Amino acid sequence: MRPMLKLDQLSATVGEDDEAKAIINGLSLYVPAGEVHAIMGPNGAGKSTLSYVLTGRDGYEVTGGSATLEGDDLLDMDPEDRAAKGLFLSFQYPVEIPGVPVMTFVRTAMNAQRKARGEEEISAPDFIKKSRELGKQLNLTPDMLKRPLNVGFSGGEKKRLEIFQMMMLEPHFAILDETDSGLDIDALRTVADGVNALRDPERGMLVITHYQRLLDHIKPDKVHVLAGGKIIKTGGPELALRLEKEGYDGVLGEAA
Amino acid sequence: MVLSVTDLKDKFRNPGPAELELIARYAMLPESGQRERAFEAFAETGLPHRRMEAWKWTDFKAAVKAVEAPEQGAQSAPLPAAGQAVIEFTAGGVTLPDTLPDGIQLHERTDAQALSDAEEVPLGAMTAALAGRVGGLDTLIIEVTGEASAPLHIVTRGDRDETNFARVSIIVRPGASLDLVESHVGGAGFSSFLLELSMQEGGAVRRTVLQRGSADEAQAITAVVNLGDKSEYVQTALAFGAKVARLETRLTHQESGSHATLNGAYLCAKGFHADYTSHVRHGAPSSVTRQVTKGAVLDGGTGVFQGKFHVPRTIGQHTDADMQHQALLLEDGAEIFAKPELEIYADDVECAHGNTSGALDPNQLFYMRQRGIPEAQARALLTEAFVSEALEEANDGVRDALLDAARSFLAETVA
Ligand SMILES: Nc1ncnc2c1ncn2[C@@H]1O[C@H](COP(=O)(O)OP(=O)(O)OP(=O)(O)O)[C@@H](O)[C@H]1O
Ligand SMILES: [Mg+2]
């Protein structure tokens, strides 16, 4: 199996120098190409922190270990270079960008990535066609796509917009941080269909979720439990079912 | 020479070399009572300086040490003028359009007109005293009698000149309307433009202004605007500043039910100073003012916003006025000075104001970078989106040019 994401003994802190707090503590994880892995774990376990460390957010400092994507060291790249390399994060809390319409934003992002990879810009008709099709698939109307990104969008709409961007950008590796939270039942299915459409032997995904429900729609190859800044248990889809039944206390008690 | 320079000099306290030069020029102009009154008003203060409350952040006396030509002529092009009637003021004189749009008449006056409120606008007074030349016109009076069939575009542009002073007076007759575009692109060591706009019942004016000078020039653009019964005035200005630049609007709601929109944006790079000052007097009941000013300043640049709403006790009743100023400090070393003032004596009014300045939001920047947009581009895009809100009401024909100017400025300067 071709390696996609490989984390080896990764450790990271959050916060300013003197108040830096260790959140990720020797975390190892391996997601091969073509697989979808789920990460579950209690609130405050470090799931979002992991996604920010991998995408290169300011204020998160790696203190040990390594992280590679398709063999390339992620950790010394700028966030935009990681994105151009194909790393995508669907944010737990998508950010409002006033004054920049969704379409303008996505096109700017797409062309910036293409430029960084030495590819041609997407043509206007191709872009419009693609965004119309995907918008329709995700129940995002053309009017919504003209509005400033995430501004005034409902919680569920914002999550659908994250998936819209993911499908437009076609990343090699996507991290979905609680994309299911805030989605109604139909939207959950719509989003899952979008994610499944991107499943590909050349692509990998990490799905962070609290609920088994999403995993009914997006069947993971593996489920990991993250607690205290590391992966403490790994299993198949049945692990998510067990967690739902027994809770973290049950499963963690056994692991400890 | 009719007037004695020595006598004139005595009217000023401590005239500097620049003021002495301006006095000498005034002495060469034909005598006129109106001009003299404007000159007296200017002499009260001389070039405005930091010890005057309204000029504490914008010191023309310090910036204009001498009347000198800049290194280069105007560095930027005026706004696009397709389909417009263009009036261009240069140091050599004024060029008038061959044909005028329907609804517009020009009156060239060789005698200066009185300037109301001259004491309140020292650089306006200076311009009224000095605009014009021997045997040339002193004031261009534009009368709008109907719906002007095309926009009027006033350009002030120097070609390495010492000064470029121009004065235009516009009268909008009842029910008449005008789209006014102005491009003040510098090119003179000291440029000053004075606009007097008087709108009668039901008149409508959309004024769109570009100011862009060089870092060795001083520029003043002063407008004195009076709104008649139910008239509507929409102003949009984009300023890039100069060594020192001031866009000042003194607006009076003279009769009831008038509506004013005063929007503007300033973008200042290193060595540039832009001052956006407005004074709005609600001198009649039930008038509305909406003001949005946005600014973005880089290291070594200076932005100034001074806005005042004055609502007198009885005549200001039912005023509805809102003033917003928001500015971005794009880098360490950027400076922004803001003074929003509400002076309200009437009790049944709705007046609000907001004033913020800060850096770009790091969450927004990270989100954009995560999508692959390089940091500098993300900063420029966020800044453009931020200031463009203040440019939405600009004239259709030039709005895109304003946005393009802002965009390319940001693309070149924001790192
Ligand atoms: N800037 C910061 N300064 C200090 N502590 C922080 C900072 N950011 C995050 N933390 C802490 O790090 C821990 C992990 O947070 P993180 O957001 O990664 O949790 P999570 O696993 O995503 O939780 P949830 O399931 O609630 O989303 C939390 O205890 C949080 O309070
Ligand atoms: Mg989280």
Side-chain angles (χ1 to χ4, degrees):
Chain A
M1 272 182 296
R2 207 160 64 78
M4 278 304 286
L5 183 74
K6 199 161 190 283
L7 312 182
D8 192 20
Q9 290 296 314
L10 189 66
S11 295
T13 59
V14 186
E16 296 301 315
D17 303 337
D18 39 345
E19 283 166 39
K21 193 173 147 193
I23 307 288
I24 304 296
N25 302 304
L27 186 150
S28 297
L29 179 69
Y30 173 59
V31 184
E35 292 197 1
V36 174
H37 289 199
I39 288 190
M40 304 181 82
N43 294 135
K47 303 181 298 297
S48 294
T49 302
L50 174 64
S51 63
Y52 294 142
V53 169
L54 295 179
T55 48
R57 189 173 192 145
D58 277 347
Y60 294 76
E61 204 199 334
V62 175
T63 50
S66 65
T68 55
L69 182 63
E70 295 174 290
D72 292 332
D73 183 4
L74 275 181
L75 299 177
D76 52 45
M77 282 187 230
D78 280 335
E80 51 268 40
D81 297 331
R82 301 183 198 199
K85 178 148 176 58
L87 181 63
F88 179 92
L89 170 62
S90 168
F91 283 64
Q92 182 173 1
Y93 304 107
V95 179
E96 299 190 357
I97 311 285
V100 184
V102 178
M103 296 283 269
T104 309
F105 181 86
V106 178
R107 196 160 163 208
T108 306
M110 201 172 209
N111 284 332
Q113 290 196 13
R114 288 181 175 220
K115 190 173 167 195
R117 294 192 293 257
E119 299 165 10
E120 294 247 327
E121 291 201 344
I122 186 166
S123 77
D126 286 352
F127 177 80
I128 289 167
K129 185 158 172 274
K130 187 168 173 151
S131 57
R132 287 246 171 87
E133 280 171 13
L134 292 177
K136 206 163 160 194
Q137 207 175 317
L138 289 162
N139 283 325
L140 295 165
T141 63
D143 272 349
M144 289 166 101
L145 299 181
K146 284 188 195 125
R147 281 164 50 186
L149 186 68
N150 291 328
V151 179
F153 283 81
S154 77
E157 287 167 350
K158 286 180 184 170
K159 295 303 176 79
R160 264 147 57 201
L161 272 175
E162 293 292 284
I163 298 307
F164 171 75
Q165 293 178 61
M166 177 180 80
M167 296 177 79
M168 290 294 291
L169 294 169
E170 301 180 343
H172 294 194
F173 195 89
I175 304 169
L176 310 187
D177 191 356
E178 294 197 28
T179 302
D180 53 336
S181 62
L183 290 178
D184 66 39
I185 298 155
D186 293 340
L188 184 69
R189 182 177 298 273
T190 312
V191 160
D193 288 347
V195 172
N196 287 327
L198 281 193
R199 284 184 99 141
D200 185 288
E202 296 300 311
R203 211 171 256 136
M205 287 189 212
L206 200 52
V207 178
I208 297 170
T209 181
H210 285 296
Y211 306 107
Q212 156 61 27
R213 200 181 48 171
L214 177 71
L215 304 179
D216 285 340
H217 298 286
I218 306 172
K219 273 248 161 282
D221 295 286
K222 285 214 167 91
V223 175
H224 307 276
V225 179
L226 196 164
K230 54 179 160 229
I231 304 294
I232 55 155
K233 197 170 178 66
T234 295
E238 76 291 343
L239 179 57
L241 291 165
R242 255 194 74 199
L243 281 168
E244 187 120 299
K245 258 201 226 101
E246 299 171 26
Y248 290 109
D249 277 351
V251 179
L252 297 191
E254 169 196 310
Chain B
M1 199 204 303
V2 195
L3 299 161
S4 136
V5 172
T6 328
D7 289 351
L8 293 170
K9 239 165 64 181
D10 289 343
K11 294 179 191 290
F12 286 77
R13 235 167 297 155
N14 280 327
E19 281 145 336
L20 291 175
E21 169 65 22
L22 297 173
I23 292 166
R25 291 190 183 196
Y26 172 72
M28 315 265 279
L29 290 166
E31 236 178 315
S32 123
Q34 307 286 24
R35 190 192 282 287
E36 190 183 340
R37 267 191 285 282
F39 185 77
E40 301 266 343
F42 172 53
E44 288 279 313
T45 61
L47 287 173
H49 51 79
R50 69 166 68 90
R51 286 187 308 283
M52 296 160 65
E53 179 59 22
W55 299 82
K56 62 182 171 189
W57 294 311
T58 300
D59 189 332
F60 270 75
K61 189 160 178 138
V64 188
K65 290 252 162 43
V67 175
E68 278 173 347
E71 289 269 305
Q72 286 166 303
Q75 289 301 289
S76 44
L79 289 167
Q84 304 166 7
V86 178
I87 298 175
E88 179 161 344
F89 289 91
T90 61
V94 59
T95 311
L96 298 174
D98 297 334
T99 54
L100 283 172
D102 297 342
I104 295 181
Q105 279 138 47
L106 296 188
H107 309 279
E108 300 170 44
R109 300 292 282 260
T110 49
D111 54 326
Q113 304 292 296
L115 169 63
S116 59
D117 277 348
E119 289 73 19
E120 306 293 340
V121 281
L123 292 176
M126 179 200 76
T127 311
L130 288 165
R133 42 198 64 80
V134 181
L137 93 162
D138 268 357
T139 313
L140 185 63
I141 298 179
I142 298 166
E143 188 180 7
V144 187
T145 51
E147 188 182 328
S149 60
L152 198 62
H153 189 154
I154 295 172
V155 176
T156 65
R157 169 158 51 178
D159 184 17
R160 297 192 62 202
D161 298 303
E162 290 180 349
T163 59
N164 187 6
F165 298 150
R167 179 181 185 188
V168 170
S169 184
I170 301 179
I171 298 153
V172 179
R173 297 297 179 198
S177 64
L178 174 70
D179 240 312
L180 176 66
V181 177
E182 294 172 33
S183 301
H184 301 290
V185 293
F190 189 8
S191 311
S192 184
F193 177 72
L194 170 62
L195 172 72
E196 294 151 273
L197 172 63
S198 166
M199 295 171 63
Q200 297 176 350
E201 185 184 347
V205 170
R206 181 178 301 272
R207 177 179 183 226
T208 307
V209 183
L210 170 71
Q211 177 279 321
R212 194 162 200 177
S214 296
D216 57 351
E217 299 175 6
Q219 265 184 296
I221 296 154
T222 311
V224 179
V225 181
N226 284 309
L227 298 193
D229 208 19
K230 295 188 186 59
S231 56
E232 185 165 358
Y233 178 67
V234 180
Q235 172 174 306
T236 303
L238 173 61
F240 290 91
K243 180 182 189 185
V244 63
R246 168 117 152 180
L247 272 96
E248 178 157 352
T249 308
R250 272 191 88 76
L251 182 143
T252 306
H253 291 279
Q254 218 148 38
E255 284 166 88
S256 65
S258 51
H259 195 295
T261 304
L262 288 181
N263 291 348
Y266 56 86
L267 296 171
C268 303
K270 193 183 191 80
F272 287 78
H273 176 120
D275 172 327
Y276 195 92
T277 291
S278 60
H279 181 287
V280 176
R281 184 178 140 86
H282 279 257
S286 308
S287 298
V288 180
T289 302
R290 288 286 173 273
Q291 180 165 23
V292 176
T293 309
K294 301 264 192 156
V297 178
L298 292 139
D299 178 20
T302 307
V304 175
F305 169 77
Q306 304 186 106
K308 184 170 189 167
F309 289 168
H310 177 82
V311 184
R313 196 179 188 81
T314 316
I315 49 176
Q317 286 301 35
H318 309 299
T319 283
D320 174 357
D322 187 274
M323 178 195 301
Q324 300 296 328
H325 170 249
Q326 296 166 352
L328 286 175
L329 295 143
L330 290 174
E331 294 169 333
D332 290 346
E335 282 194 309
I336 290 168
F337 301 98
K339 185 177 173 194
E341 274 182 285
L342 302 184
E343 212 176 280
I344 296 163
Y345 302 101
D347 51 9
D348 188 8
V349 299
E350 263 183 68
C351 289
H353 79 293
N355 177 35
T356 58
S357 38
L360 285 170
D361 178 356
N363 293 320
Q364 293 177 343
L365 282 172
F366 174 66
Y367 185 88
M368 295 175 82
R369 294 178 74 187
Q370 203 302 302
R371 296 298 187 250
I373 302 173
E375 186 174 7
Q377 196 183 349
R379 296 173 69 84
L381 190 59
L382 284 175
T383 307
E384 180 195 332
F386 174 80
V387 298
S388 62
E389 189 199 330
L391 304 175
E392 278 165 11
E393 298 290 330
N395 165 288
D396 282 339
V398 299
R399 188 191 305 112
D400 286 347
L402 287 181
L403 291 171
D404 286 346
R407 186 177 304 127
S408 49
F409 169 87
L410 293 168
E412 282 162 27
T413 57
V414 175

